[in-house]
Each structure stands twice: as structure tokens, then as C-alpha cells.
Amino acid sequence: METQAPTLPLLTPYKLGKFDLSHRVVLAPLNRMRSYGNVPQPHAILYYSQRSSQGGLLITGATGVSDTAQGYPNTHGIWKKEQVEAWKPVVDAVHAKGGIFFCQIWHVGRVSNRGFQPNGQAPISSTDKLLIPEIPDNGIDEAQFTPPRQLRTDEIPVIVNDFRLAARNAVEAGFDGVEIHGAHGYLIDQFLKDQVNNRTDQYGGSLENRCRFALDIVEAVVDEIGADKVGIRLSPFADYMESGDSNPKELGLYLAKALNKYGILYCHMVEPRMKTVGEKFETPDSLVPMRKAFNGTFIAAGGYDREDGNNAVAEGRADLVAFGRLFLANPDLPKRFELNAPLNKYIRDTFYVPDPVLGYTDYPFLDSTA
């Protein structure tokens, strides 16, 4: 009698709130910079549907919540009616293949310049400290930052409301939920991290105060669309965009515990081995304390491959694992994992080009007739 091979941990079913996932391989949010004029384009229909599968979770690339949220060319937006309408066929295509689709809502804060801002105004942030340009290693020219303007205390509720309205728009577009982007040195992270946040009001100083902005946004979004449709992405250990923290373990643990109050669906954290945009490095730090502290679904991301992802699920370090570059280059990644098939190599030079096909929808499937 032939014995059946054991199912890979990554390919076992999972109940994500009201959603029945058939596997635990998540499409990580990836900024592909092909939404011309911040409006999703028809080629996004093919891109996301290629990576859809029955019961698979996909997260959009970072999607701006307002006209002040911009810092890169041709990124997604969801603050205008035109954008909501443009998202609808993209969402429909994912749903037609049985996928679950979340929209990552985002504000860049000081990672911008006057050219991206309405009326050429200064970018807004938790601080007025200028982000010092580095030689870009991610294909995006970030050499033209301009000094940000520190948000006044009375302006902060306006930005919180932008996230709330973006979440409402996402649900109107048909998304199953939203992921609040609180990672990688963007606006929320600029409040969270003590390397950036130099405020003296109730949004700065203590750990509780620095986390207030993020939790205000979580509360507003939960109130608008329901906790069962809300996730958040955090990178407490990361130092993207000069946004390090003096005690990332304490920050991550505080947030994991504080989020329980709101009953959100999931917390998506980036591994400490991914401190920058580059390759992973060895570190004794771990997400396990945060995973244990958070009551909902825990998604881990950051430099995972098939073996590492299987181990994370098998050992209980994560419920789901998000894959970025591997999923970008392998639209049928769950199938390849199942068969332990060779993987297409990703081509970094085409990550951010505006071409609607090159490096976007032209990576081959295992079955070339797909």
C-alpha cells in the first residue's frame, strides 16, 4: 500500500477569521509602481489574478490614503472615486479565482519631496528632521528628499480620518479588508520609532505616546469597517529610512499587546533579520515574543523560502508566511512549493520600471500553457 507524502505545513488549511484559506502562502505587499497617476490600471488585473488561487491571501502593494501620502511615482491610491472604480475589476479578478484580497493603506510621511505634494508643500511627518538621502539599492531614486513639516497636534485627527476613509473606500471597491502599513520608515513608523519621533506632545516621548498615532488609526479603521477586516504591518526591528528604535523588542511587544484591545484580524511583522531593504543577516532577535503576545493571526515576513516558511509554521512561529520577491517572480508559487519545483529567479532591475508587462506579468508559470 502506497503511503501518501505528508502535507507541507505551508500548504495546510487555515481559518483566518471568516475566511477559509487553503494554504498559508501569502502574497506580501509589493510596490510595483505601475498605477499611472495613482490610478490602478488594467494590467493590474492580470498581475494580481496570476497570483491568485482558491483560498489564497493576497495583499496589494502600498496604496496611498490621500494626495499628501505620495512619495514615489505611479503608486496605488484609494482616496478618490476614480481610484475606487479602477480597483473594482482588479478585486473581481482575484475573487473570481477564489482569492482573498486585502488592500494595504499607506502614507509615506517624510519619505517624499515637494514635487509629490499638493501645491508643492512640504511633506508631513512626526518630525521636521530631514531624511538624509542614501545611494538607492532598491531601484528607486530617493535622492531628492525635502525637509518635512512636523504635524501639529490638532492636524493628526485629519490624517487618522484619511486612513478611515481609505478603509471605507477599500470595502466599497470590494476588498475583503485592509492592512494598515505601519512599517518600513513611513508615516506611522515615523511616530513609532524614537530615532525619528522628537515630539513633546501626547504623540511623542514615551513608548505609549509614540504608539498613540498608530493605535488611533487602528481604532478609527476598526470603527469604520469592523475588526474582522483589519490587519496591520509592523517592522519594529527595521531601520528603513533612518527609522530605527533604541528598544525594538519593547516596541514590538507593546504594540502586539496593545492591538489585542481592538480585536483585529491579524498582525503582520517583518523579521528582525531584515533591518534594511537588502539581504537578510544573522541576528539572535526573534518575533516569537510578539507572536505569543498577539491574540489574532500572526503573519511573518522577511527573507523566507520554502524550507524556512515550512519550519516557521511547523514550529508555531507564524500562522501564515508572506513571500515577496519569490511570489513576484513565481505567480504559481504555492504550486511550485507543493511540487518542490524550481523557482524563477527574480530580476531586481525590473521591480520598479513602469512597463505594464516587463518584470510584471511576464514571469512564466510552471505549466507554460497557464
Side-chain angles (χ1 to χ4, degrees):
M1 184 175 172
E2 193 175 327
T3 57
Q4 194 168 357
T7 304
L8 293 173
L10 275 173
L11 300 180
T12 54
Y14 181 78
K15 185 78 171 171
L16 176 66
K18 62 186 176 185
F19 306 108
D20 292 314
L21 302 187
S22 61
H23 59 77
R24 300 169 188 242
V25 179
V26 178
L27 175 65
L30 299 167
N31 196 343
R32 305 306 313 278
M33 295 168 63
R34 287 165 168 88
S35 283
Y36 311 141
N38 308 123
V39 178
Q41 300 295 308
H43 46 255
I45 299 171
L46 179 58
Y47 174 75
Y48 284 110
S49 66
Q50 282 180 334
R51 286 152 185 80
S52 304
S53 57
Q54 180 67 43
L57 174 62
L58 283 69
I59 307 167
T60 71
T63 303
V65 299
S66 70
D67 57 357
T68 69
Q70 307 309 305
Y72 303 101
N74 300 321
T75 51
H76 304 318
I78 198 158
W79 71 92
K80 294 189 293 192
K81 182 73 173 172
E82 176 190 8
Q83 295 160 334
V84 173
E85 293 304 313
W87 272 118
K88 288 180 178 178
V90 185
V91 176
D92 288 347
V94 171
H95 285 162
K97 292 183 73 173
I100 293 96
F101 205 12
F102 272 53
C103 181
Q104 189 191 64
I105 53 177
W106 175 57
H107 195 301
V108 299
R110 69 175 184 165
V111 187
S112 186
N113 64 50
R114 291 178 181 274
F116 286 105
Q117 296 299 312
N119 305 315
Q121 65 195 36
I124 56 176
S125 180
S126 64
T127 182
D128 58 5
K129 289 191 287 189
L130 174 63
L131 178 58
I132 305 302
E134 295 180 356
I135 297 171
D137 65 354
N138 61 356
I140 304 172
D141 182 7
E142 296 157 346
Q144 297 296 322
F145 298 127
T146 49
R149 178 178 69 80
Q150 186 178 70
L151 282 163
R152 299 190 313 269
T153 308
D154 66 318
E155 292 178 298
I156 288 176
V158 177
I159 309 303
V160 172
N161 196 52
D162 286 340
F163 277 87
R164 182 181 67 80
L165 294 175
R168 179 200 290 177
N169 287 344
V171 171
E172 184 186 335
F175 284 103
D176 298 296
V178 301
E179 176 177 284
I180 298 164
H181 194 345
H184 295 162
Y186 297 115
L187 183 62
I188 293 174
D189 213 22
Q190 291 159 30
F191 276 83
L192 295 174
K193 303 287 183 63
D194 61 12
Q195 182 179 328
V196 185
N197 188 337
N198 58 352
R199 303 179 72 89
T200 56
D201 62 0
Q202 65 262 42
Y203 290 92
S206 69
L207 183 58
E208 181 182 5
N209 282 357
R210 285 183 281 117
C211 293
R212 191 183 308 277
F213 178 61
L215 297 176
D216 282 355
I217 289 171
V218 170
E219 183 172 28
V221 170
V222 164
D223 286 348
E224 184 64 36
I225 66 170
D228 61 335
K229 298 184 185 74
V230 179
I232 189 168
R233 193 178 213 212
L234 301 167
S235 59
F237 293 91
D239 192 13
Y240 288 45
M241 308 296 179
E242 298 172 23
S243 63
D245 192 81
S246 62
N247 195 335
K249 292 180 188 176
E250 185 184 30
L251 174 63
L253 202 54
Y254 178 89
L255 282 165
K257 291 175 179 175
L259 288 166
N260 290 331
K261 171 184 173 183
Y262 306 99
I264 63 172
L265 183 62
Y266 71 76
C267 179
H268 180 181
M269 280 203 184
V270 179
E271 287 284 355
R273 64 191 176 195
M274 305 298 289
K275 279 194 177 178
T276 65
V277 180
E279 301 304 315
K280 60 188 179 183
F281 71 103
E282 294 300 318
T283 172
D285 291 322
S286 167
L287 296 179
V288 170
M290 296 104 200
R291 190 263 194 281
K292 289 180 177 176
F294 180 69
N295 293 339
T297 291
F298 193 84
I299 305 177
Y304 277 94
D305 57 20
R306 180 180 184 267
E307 181 183 9
D308 200 11
N310 279 318
N311 290 341
V313 173
E315 295 165 11
R317 290 184 280 117
D319 298 304
L320 310 173
V321 179
F323 295 85
R325 290 168 289 186
L326 293 188
F327 219 150
L328 176 158
N330 296 274
D332 50 358
L333 188 64
K335 173 60 71 175
R336 288 178 189 253
F337 280 172
E338 180 186 350
L339 301 175
N340 200 16
L343 299 179
N344 300 323
K345 289 183 169 60
Y346 57 82
I347 304 167
R348 185 180 291 277
D349 288 348
T350 61
F351 282 0
Y352 308 109
V353 299
D355 193 285
V357 176
L358 179 67
Y360 191 58
T361 59
D362 58 351
Y363 282 103
F365 286 76
L366 202 54
D367 173 5
S368 60
T369 63

